[in-house]
Amino acid sequence: MTTVHAPQGTHEPADLMRGLYGDGIIALKGAFPRDWAARMREDIELLFDEAQKVPGGALARGPQRWYVEVHPERIRGFVDIVTHPWFVAVCETVLGPDYRIVEVGFDVPFPGAADQPWHRDFAAPEATTKGRRLNSLAFNLTAVDTLPEMGPFEVAPGTQWDAFEGCAKGMFPPRELWPRYISRAVQKLPRMGDISARSALTIHRGTANRSDQARPVLVVGVDAPDATNANHHDLQVTRRYLESLPPRVREHLTCRVVDALTTVVQHHTIEGLLKPAY
């Protein structure tokens, strides 16, 4: 593994806070070499093949769209990601020095994936609704160069602060609000080696994949100490792997230490994502 450092001047705290508290999403282009991203894709493809063979190993997130939660040690570049200066700077600036890594997984929209309904990934916590503070982040790393026909991620900047009542699980804004998100929508077209960080509360959706290629994306979820997203995941590491990690990685992991890894059975089905949005 080769650790790649961010260009100088790319992680000023004010810039990071302005981006995540403003638009709700920021990115660093070219954080990793393309051959590094190609190895990540190899890992994702292998792990997806394994997950399909296990009941509950891959979770549907819409037509021809899947999510798989995986073990950090099965991603060869995991340590590169979580020790990258930009990743560390974002976590420390927004979530504080005691941030916790709680999730590693990937999302794959295949050809035929449909437009998702506008949503956030979970209900806004009181830290955000009352305290006006972000206490979790999702980092995304694409395994391919994203083209418009591949169903890119679409985000409505600034909507992490939106409040709406009476919706399913606090995640799905009512359709009468969709024109607001459509008018603000920005499609993201990252390339191999790029990394982004976003508030999972910012309203977003995956769009229809009209190409003949899959668009796999690795996800790393990180919490502030008061967030509870770890309760929805099963981050496992073997004792041998944990002992091999640098202390600066070990001290930020919220995980179950095991002698042997077991398949993460996906239970958190999100019913609202299983129907396309036309």
Side-chain angles (χ1 to χ4, degrees), residues 34-87:
R34 292 182 64 84
D35 60 350
W36 182 97
R39 290 194 297 273
M40 182 180 72
R41 181 176 183 176
E42 292 172 358
D43 293 343
I44 288 174
E45 290 175 346
L46 173 64
L47 291 166
F48 184 73
D49 183 62
E50 292 179 3
Q52 284 187 302
K53 298 173 183 177
V54 179
L59 187 70
R61 287 288 173 85
Q64 297 301 312
R65 189 185 301 270
W66 302 91
Y67 173 78
V68 177
E69 190 169 337
V70 300
H71 309 302
E73 59 203 88
R74 300 296 307 279
I75 300 293
R76 283 174 285 178
F78 172 73
V79 173
D80 291 340
I81 297 168
V82 299
T83 59
H84 194 288
W86 190 83
F87 178 96

Side-chain angles (χ1 to χ4, degrees), residues 142-153 188-192 215-217:
T142 180
V144 296
D145 290 339
T146 308
L147 302 174
E149 58 269 24
M150 293 170 69
F153 179 82
K188 297 298 182 179
L189 300 172
R191 298 178 64 83
M192 294 168 64
R215 185 179 63 79
V217 178

Side-chain angles (χ1 to χ4, degrees), residues 69-248:
E69 190 169 337
V70 300
H71 309 302
E73 59 203 88
R74 300 296 307 279
I75 300 293
R76 283 174 285 178
F78 172 73
V79 173
D80 291 340
I81 297 168
V82 299
T83 59
H84 194 288
W86 190 83
F87 178 96
V88 174
V90 172
C91 290
E92 290 184 342
T93 299
V94 179
L95 306 177
D98 298 321
Y99 65 87
R100 311 300 304 171
I101 298 165
V102 301
E103 173 192 12
V104 181
F106 57 84
D107 180 83
V108 188
F110 285 91
D115 287 338
Q116 291 181 315
W118 291 100
H119 66 283
R120 52 178 42 136
D121 289 344
F122 44 80
E126 285 194 358
T128 302
T129 58
K130 294 184 178 180
R132 289 307 192 203
R133 178 171 59 86
L134 300 179
N135 69 353
S136 67
L137 294 172
F139 290 82
N140 288 4
L141 299 98
T142 180
V144 296
D145 290 339
T146 308
L147 302 174
E149 58 269 24
M150 293 170 69
F153 179 82
E154 197 167 57
V155 63
T159 55
Q160 66 272 40
W161 310 108
D162 281 19
F164 34 80
E165 302 295 335
C167 60
K169 298 185 178 180
M171 294 171 54
F172 296 90
R175 280 185 176 261
E176 54 264 31
L177 294 182
W178 282 21
R180 165 173 164 76
Y181 307 125
I182 293 170
S183 69
R184 300 175 70 89
V186 176
Q187 287 195 342
K188 297 298 182 179
L189 300 172
R191 298 178 64 83
M192 294 168 64
D194 296 349
I195 183 171
S196 67
R198 63 183 175 91
S199 167
L201 302 177
T202 307
I203 306 301
H204 62 276
R205 66 175 183 169
T207 59
N209 188 343
R210 299 182 175 87
S211 75
D212 59 358
Q213 302 176 64
R215 185 179 63 79
V217 178
L218 188 76
V219 180
V220 179
V222 188
D223 276 359
D226 65 314
T228 59
N229 293 302
N231 297 339
H232 306 295
H233 304 289
D234 183 21
L235 199 68
Q236 303 173 36
V237 298
T238 60
R239 298 181 190 279
R240 182 177 179 179
Y241 181 72
L242 187 65
E243 291 169 359
S244 74
L245 291 173
R248 59 180 172 156

Side-chain angles (χ1 to χ4, degrees), residues 23-34:
D23 285 349
I25 185 168
I26 58 176
L28 178 66
K29 294 187 176 297
F32 299 96
R34 292 182 64 84

